[in-house]
Amino acid sequence: MDAIRAFIEKYLMRATGGLNGLGKLLVALISLFITFLIIRLLNYIIRKILNSKISKSGIIEEKRAKTVMSILKSMVTVLVVLIWFLSILSLFGVNTSALIATAGVGGIAISFGAKSLVEDIIAGMFLFWENTFAIGDYVKIADRSGYVEELTLRTTIIRDFSGEIHTIPNGKICIVTNMGKDWQRAQVKFMVDYDADIKAVMNILKNTFDKLFKDDKTVISEINVMGVTDLASSSIEITVFTRTVPGENWRVEREMRLAGIKALKENGIEIPYNKLDIKVMENA
């Protein structure tokens, strides 16, 4: 202990008392390490509390809870780092009280050239409070489409179908098209021959899909067989649609196509397709 005390007094303290520049820098680094430990601990507590809520909620509430978790983690990080930053300024002799009183926290950020950062944070708050979209929603933002993977106070992160990640500053978000808020439509069109009994076809499709999705909790409305929606040159179009939990519409559509084609064939309903007959004429 005496050796440590001697080292501190020799290298980290001023002759007149108090920490010297090296000592203050060391304190700043140690406190930064402790700050990140505190952030990890608080994020762990937030995650544990909200995970217990998620397990008791439905899919829509789960998406909202994940969004709240993402925002709270972001807010905790910003707040704890800001407290550390102001403490370090005070350690190095900066009058933070006067700085906050005259300019405010937002003024401090702007004075350091972070005007866009403040805009991103304010925009992120409004996106969250207005519930514009949640984690898991399929959205179109700034000509980029994909699923929202993360929403923080500063950025929104979406992943498109090719797997590419797009990070968009919240302050740059002007128009959002949310294609997966609350529900999405699953819609399939079946083409049948003009000679087919249309009412029979509609009944076959209705009964098939009612049985197929009877216990499927992701299908949240009844199967609607609209009937004839178009007359093509060689076929009649029949459209079927329903509402699903966001993100499940494509799977439901695939299952509808597979089961619908199978049911129509089993009932002798012909599905038109282009045919090419080739006749070979023998030389006389």
Side-chain angles (χ1 to χ4, degrees):
M1 295 296 294
D2 292 337
I4 296 176
R5 186 181 297 108
F7 175 84
I8 292 175
E9 292 177 352
K10 182 177 181 180
Y11 296 103
L12 304 180
M13 303 290 291
R14 294 180 299 189
T16 56
L19 294 172
N20 59 22
L22 181 60
K24 292 178 180 179
L25 180 60
L26 183 60
V27 170
L29 293 176
I30 294 174
S31 62
L32 179 61
F33 176 74
I34 295 174
T35 296
F36 281 113
L37 289 180
I38 293 173
I39 291 173
R40 293 194 64 178
L41 175 62
L42 292 176
N43 286 342
Y44 173 78
I45 294 173
I46 292 171
R47 186 167 62 251
K48 290 290 288 184
I49 293 174
L50 289 180
N51 279 341
S52 64
K53 301 290 184 181
I54 290 175
S55 61
K56 301 176 183 179
S57 63
I59 295 177
I60 302 300
E61 289 73 15
E62 178 180 345
K63 292 168 59 178
R64 180 65 174 168
K66 288 181 178 179
T67 305
V68 172
M69 185 187 303
S70 178
I71 289 292
L72 285 179
K73 286 182 177 180
S74 179
M75 291 177 66
V76 164
T77 300
V78 171
L79 181 60
V80 174
V81 170
L82 181 60
I83 293 173
W84 169 85
F85 179 68
L86 293 176
S87 300
I88 296 304
L89 286 180
S90 179
L91 178 65
F92 279 91
V94 178
N95 189 347
T96 56
S97 298
L99 192 62
I100 294 175
T102 56
V105 176
I108 296 174
I110 295 174
S111 67
F112 281 92
K115 181 175 180 295
S116 61
L117 175 62
V118 176
E119 292 176 350
D120 292 339
I121 292 175
I122 293 175
M125 290 180 177
F126 278 108
L127 287 173
F128 172 68
W129 286 329
E130 294 175 358
N131 195 23
T132 306
F133 51 81
I135 292 177
D137 284 349
Y138 186 70
V139 299
K140 182 177 181 181
I141 304 173
D143 295 328
R144 295 287 187 268
S145 299
Y147 287 98
V148 179
E149 288 211 341
E150 188 175 354
L151 173 61
T152 69
L153 286 177
R154 193 178 68 84
T155 61
T156 295
I157 299 175
I158 62 175
R159 184 187 295 272
D160 61 24
F161 277 114
S162 64
E164 296 178 340
I165 288 288
H166 303 283
T167 302
I168 306 170
N170 290 332
K172 302 297 182 182
I173 297 177
C174 297
I175 299 176
V176 178
T177 303
N178 192 333
M179 293 171 276
K181 189 175 180 63
D182 299 335
W183 59 270
Q184 284 183 286
R185 171 178 285 196
Q187 179 172 291
V188 177
K189 298 178 180 180
F190 293 93
M191 311 302 293
V192 299
D193 192 80
Y194 269 96
D195 294 332
D197 185 336
I198 301 302
K199 289 187 176 180
V201 171
M202 293 174 61
N203 289 332
I204 292 170
L205 293 176
K206 175 67 174 175
N207 294 334
T208 299
F209 297 144
D210 283 344
K211 293 179 182 177
L212 179 63
F213 300 113
K214 179 180 179 181
D215 299 318
D216 193 332
K217 301 300 183 183
T218 65
V219 177
I220 56 179
S221 71
E222 65 174 343
I223 305 298
N224 191 331
V225 182
M226 296 178 64
V228 178
T229 53
D230 194 16
L231 300 175
S233 58
S234 59
S235 61
I236 297 175
E237 178 186 274
I238 297 178
T239 301
V240 183
F241 74 90
T242 186
R243 292 181 179 181
T244 73
V245 168
E248 293 294 324
N249 55 314
W250 291 287
R251 176 190 62 81
V252 171
E253 287 178 354
R254 290 193 298 270
E255 294 185 7
M256 289 172 67
R257 292 187 187 98
L258 182 62
I261 291 174
K262 181 180 178 182
L264 292 177
K265 286 185 176 181
E266 289 176 350
N267 285 272
I269 306 298
E270 184 176 351
I271 301 175
Y273 58 93
N274 292 329
K275 301 177 183 179
L276 180 62
D277 294 329
I278 300 177
K279 295 183 179 180
V280 178
M281 304 294 295
E282 295 183 359
N283 294 329

